[in-house]
Amino acid sequence: MIYKLSFAIALCFSLCFDLSIGESYVLDDKIGLGRTFDGIGGLSGGGPNFGASLQILKVEIGGDAQTTDGTEPSHMHYENDENFFRGYEWWLMREAKKRNPNITLIGLPWAFPGWVGHGKNWPYDFPDITASYVVSWILGAEQYHDLNIDYVGIWNERNFDSKYIKVLRDTLDKVGLTGVGIIAADGNWDVSNAMGVDPYLNDAVEVVGAHYPGTTTVIEALKTQKKLWSSEDYSTFNDEVGGGCWARILNQNYINGLMTATISWNLVASYYEDLPFGRDGLMTAEEPWTGNYVVESPIWITAHTTQFSQPGWTYLQTVGHLVHGGSYVALTDSKGNLTVVIETMTHDHSVCIRPPLLPFNVTAQNVTFQLKGSFASIKELQVWQSKFDFKTKKPFFFKKLSPLKIYDGSFTLSLDVDAVYTLTTISTGQKGTYPDPPASGPFPKVYFDDFNVANPSFSEAPYFADQTGVFEYYINLTDPGPHVFTLRQVVTQMPVTWATDADQTISVIGDYKWQNLTVMCDVFMETVKTGGVFIAVRVDKGGQSVRSAKGVFFWVFADGSYKVTNDLVGKTVLAEGLSGTRAYGWHTLTLTVEGEYATGLLNGYPLWKDAVVLGPKNGWAAIGTHSFELAQFDNFAVEVK
């Protein structure tokens, strides 16, 4: 989950020039230009000339299902339901537009509500329904948030369907969204084979997008003559090796694969770190309870390109690899400006999470660049450098150096290894200033939420991370007592899933290190006889592994029974019996775990005690339901011993 944090950025320093002659390279526009640069993006946007200055923001079209680290709510839980204020993506897009009005906006579904598939885990059997569902999201963005979506995808990293793509194109056109381009297929390059034999499909697709392409493309994709994008990339732990991965692929995606846009999954690692792919963002902001954030090296690596070139600029044909390792790209606005980005990342310091990286060598080297064509008259270039220093552990990032004077149309540099250099005619780059972030700290050991928010800014309660199902603020107008404002699980049908969602719904909260604690919550079942809810502690798995989560789960059911299990699926039973619980009445559950023993209270009275817990030893707290069913929660409290 991406939390609502302000973005800010930090630090850098040094580069050395040498007038000795080394290998020589030409930067020339008179022989023609390469492809048009479309931008660098991620799951957040930065304003021009500050920080990452992202040019693309790609968001999930929420589908009520698990999509790596949690679920995102759909704008249509049910067929007759529309709400364009659920989740955080609308807020994120609006904030990105404030910072960069020209940012490119992309929407892509990972999953779909169950009704779209008519009960089948497949979105293509009724292509007109799926297309209408997606188009309604685009129309809602414009109508309710004044957001114009530029591109839309098909189905993240899943099979494409040629008929559906053409139906989606027709549906967009029918409602006047002719300017919204389709990206396909957000997986491998296979859609380009189908485009080569189907001219109608070829016409429907504007961008061929691949995920984690390893900087290379295929001949079939090139033959389409479409824009080629790495429409999801990076997904790597954001230490300095992660920064090196990002530096290498931002250059080489174009040099090796002619890809003109690269989009990071994800920009801000703002989800519990013990969920899958912890800290796989360009920066880290995983403590909304403190407001702490960490500006990691990939932010400044991004700035080396984005602060000095814009979508619509053009790559030169004279780009490529350096003789002694590393690479360089050059871009121009065809109005006299030139930006050159050089990276010299070594193999072991630029490994991405995927795909495997074949061996290569990089050594320090002297390089000379000859400026020809319209660049021959350039007299000075601004210089910025970042240096990963794996030996001294004293790196610096995005340091502005003294301008470089150009003599007789050429300049020579002495390049170190594991460094990034930008040489540019653009003089507006800056690091900016910003206050230090708040201090880091653990999740509070005593926590309470009564969900009494009359006009919430977001549909979800803070710190809860839904892993299956969707838990939303709810106004319970029929309740005569203290439970008018509650948190409600609202998904009543298994979605068209992207991951292996659990059959139960669950939302986790807190600190994964928690061991001994008490959790209390008021619960309200809305399904007669078959309904069921739980509170839990020591939950050890989330994300795509949530189905196999273990912990201590205290269940009560609408048939008047209770159960204590060691797992979410409910197979390992620690205790069970009669509870007298029913639907449409509030009950208070209390679960205490200390060491190897667990005890449960119902409405303040002991229901079971001293159940033996052999594992896990730690994990999150959680709430959830027995199936995809409506249920409410109130007065959630945690006290950690």
Side-chain angles (χ1 to χ4, degrees):
M1 292 289 133
I2 305 282
Y3 294 120
K4 309 94 185 173
L5 289 217
S6 60
F7 298 105
I9 327 291
L11 319 168
C12 336
F13 311 75
S14 157
L15 163 120
C16 100
F17 300 105
D18 189 329
L19 294 181
S20 60
I21 298 299
E23 303 294 339
S24 185
Y25 307 88
V26 174
L27 300 175
D28 191 357
D29 59 355
K30 69 182 179 184
I31 61 173
L33 297 172
R35 293 192 170 210
T36 300
F37 175 62
D38 293 310
I40 294 172
L43 293 179
S44 175
N49 302 321
F50 183 80
S53 296
L54 287 191
Q55 297 149 336
I56 298 171
L57 173 62
K58 181 177 181 177
V59 303
E60 177 178 343
I61 300 176
D64 292 342
Q66 173 62 240
T67 55
T68 301
D69 287 299
T71 67
E72 293 201 30
S74 170
H75 63 289
M76 296 179 71
H77 294 316
Y78 323 112
E79 194 166 2
N80 59 350
D81 162 63
E82 276 195 357
N83 185 326
F84 296 95
F85 295 91
R86 294 180 180 132
Y88 59 83
E89 301 288 15
W90 309 109
W91 171 86
L92 198 60
M93 288 188 283
R94 292 196 309 268
E95 292 296 313
K97 277 287 187 181
K98 288 178 186 177
R99 288 155 178 77
N100 179 4
N102 297 319
I103 199 164
T104 297
L105 296 179
I106 305 171
L108 173 66
W110 269 246
F112 303 86
W115 64 267
V116 172
H118 279 258
K120 292 176 65 176
N121 199 41
W122 192 247
Y124 298 141
D125 284 351
F126 303 92
D128 54 333
I129 292 175
T130 304
S132 295
Y133 165 79
V134 170
V135 170
S136 72
W137 182 88
I138 299 172
L139 292 170
E142 182 177 1
Q143 181 176 352
Y144 293 96
H145 300 282
D146 196 26
L147 296 167
N148 293 314
I149 305 302
D150 298 290
Y151 295 93
V152 66
I154 307 306
W155 187 15
N156 182 70
E157 295 174 1
R158 294 296 179 263
N159 291 338
F160 68 91
D161 182 273
S162 295
K163 180 179 179 181
Y164 169 68
I165 294 172
K166 289 181 279 191
V167 169
L168 177 60
R169 180 70 268 162
D170 287 344
T171 307
L172 288 165
D173 293 345
K174 284 177 183 175
V175 297
L177 295 173
T178 56
V180 177
I182 292 178
I183 303 173
D186 283 308
N188 57 30
W189 296 109
D190 285 355
V191 71
S192 57
N193 294 321
M195 292 166 64
V197 296
D198 184 341
Y200 295 103
L201 177 65
N202 189 71
D203 289 345
V205 175
E206 184 171 332
V207 176
V208 181
H211 287 193
Y212 309 97
T215 76
T216 62
T217 186
V218 296
I219 188 64
E220 290 79 12
L222 292 169
K223 285 180 178 177
T224 67
Q225 298 185 354
K226 300 287 185 176
K227 296 179 180 181
L228 307 180
W229 287 4
S230 179
S231 53
E232 183 178 312
D233 218 325
Y234 181 65
S235 189
T236 297
F237 192 77
N238 60 22
D239 59 8
E240 290 191 14
V241 172
C245 152
W246 189 233
R248 177 175 55 79
I249 66 176
L250 285 184
N251 267 21
Q252 296 193 27
N253 273 347
Y254 183 75
I255 295 166
N256 300 338
L258 292 179
M259 287 168 269
T260 55
T262 299
I263 301 172
S264 165
W265 190 94
N266 53 69
L267 176 66
V268 184
S270 290
Y271 42 92
Y272 291 120
E273 189 167 330
D274 291 286
L275 287 168
F277 305 101
R279 269 187 60 186
D280 281 17
L282 300 183
M283 64 179 282
T284 304
E286 58 190 14
E287 295 181 12
W289 50 89
T290 65
N292 176 262
Y293 61 87
V294 183
V295 180
E296 315 286 1
S297 62
I299 290 289
W300 296 117
I301 296 307
T302 308
H304 271 280
T305 298
T306 56
Q307 288 205 23
F308 309 108
S309 54
Q310 296 298 319
W313 284 42
T314 309
Y315 285 99
L316 303 190
Q317 290 192 30
T318 49
V319 301
H321 293 272
L322 300 171
V323 171
H324 298 290
S327 66
Y328 67 99
V329 295
L331 301 104
T332 181
D333 63 355
S334 297
K335 299 176 182 177
N337 285 308
L338 172 68
T339 291
V340 184
V341 184
I342 304 168
E343 59 81 22
T344 58
M345 297 308 305
T346 56
H347 178 280
D348 292 352
H349 296 157
S350 65
V351 177
C352 302
I353 192 172
R354 64 181 78 85
L357 184 61
L358 296 175
F360 62 86
N361 293 313
V362 181
T363 58
Q365 57 195 298
N366 293 334
V367 296
T368 297
F369 284 91
Q370 304 284 338
L371 301 183
K372 295 188 175 182
S374 67
F375 311 127
S377 59
I378 293 175
K379 301 301 182 186
E380 181 179 270
L381 292 171
Q382 307 298 314
V383 182
W384 296 76
Q385 186 196 10
S386 294
K387 170 64 176 147
F388 297 90
D389 199 325
F390 292 88
K391 292 181 180 178
T392 67
K393 306 296 184 185
K394 295 180 179 179
F396 57 82
F397 297 105
F398 208 59
K399 180 183 180 181
K400 191 176 192 304
L401 305 179
S402 299
L404 174 63
K405 302 297 182 183
I406 310 299
Y407 299 100
D408 297 325
S410 72
F411 60 89
T412 299
L413 307 177
S414 180
L415 303 179
D416 202 350
V417 298
D418 294 329
V420 180
Y421 307 84
T422 297
L423 301 105
T424 180
T425 56
I426 300 296
S427 59
T428 53
Q430 60 172 322
K431 290 205 75 167
T433 58
Y434 49 90
D436 291 336
S440 175
F443 195 97
K445 289 188 174 182
V446 177
Y447 181 73
F448 175 77
D449 194 341
D450 59 11
F451 311 115
N452 288 359
V453 184
N455 295 294
S457 300
F458 296 89
S459 60
E460 64 271 74
Y463 317 147
F464 280 92
D466 303 347
Q467 300 301 305
T468 297
V470 172
F471 295 73
E472 296 181 347
Y473 282 120
Y474 180 64
I475 301 178
N476 191 359
L477 295 175
T478 62
D479 189 276
H483 301 291
V484 174
F485 298 100
T486 67
L487 192 68
R488 192 188 201 198
Q489 200 295 119
V490 298
V491 179
T492 58
Q493 181 182 8
M494 175 71 83
V496 177
T497 58
W498 182 78
T500 309
D501 290 40
D503 294 320
Q504 306 75 21
T505 74
I506 178 172
S507 186
V508 301
I509 188 172
D511 190 327
Y512 191 78
K513 298 183 180 68
W514 282 350
Q515 295 181 337
N516 302 320
L517 67 157
T518 295
V519 175
M520 180 185 295
C521 191
D522 298 336
V523 299
F524 184 89
M525 292 171 278
E526 299 184 58
T527 304
V528 177
K529 294 185 179 180
T530 60
V533 297
F534 69 82
I535 62 174
V537 298
R538 295 186 184 175
V539 177
D540 69 344
K541 287 189 179 71
Q544 299 172 76
S545 302
V546 67
R547 194 177 184 88
S548 60
K550 291 181 169 50
V552 182
F553 297 82
F554 176 16
W555 308 78
V556 293
F557 299 97
D559 66 359
S561 67
Y562 79 90
K563 188 162 64 171
V564 185
T565 70
N566 209 177
D567 51 0
L568 177 61
V569 297
K571 289 186 177 179
T572 306
V573 179
L574 306 178
E576 60 185 332
L578 297 176
S579 62
T581 51
R582 294 287 184 269
Y584 293 100
W586 283 96
H587 306 284
T588 302
L589 304 184
T590 306
L591 171 61
T592 298
V593 178
E594 191 156 359
E596 295 183 352
Y597 296 96
T599 299
L601 309 180
L602 175 63
N603 300 326
Y605 295 94
L607 184 63
W608 53 276
K609 64 179 182 178
D610 294 337
V612 177
V613 180
L614 298 179
K617 302 297 185 186
N618 58 277
W620 296 290
I623 58 175
T625 64
H626 179 60
S627 64
F628 286 90
E629 61 187 273
L630 298 174
Q632 296 176 54
F633 303 84
D634 202 2
N635 298 319
F636 177 85
V638 173
E639 184 172 351
V640 180
K641 295 176 173 60

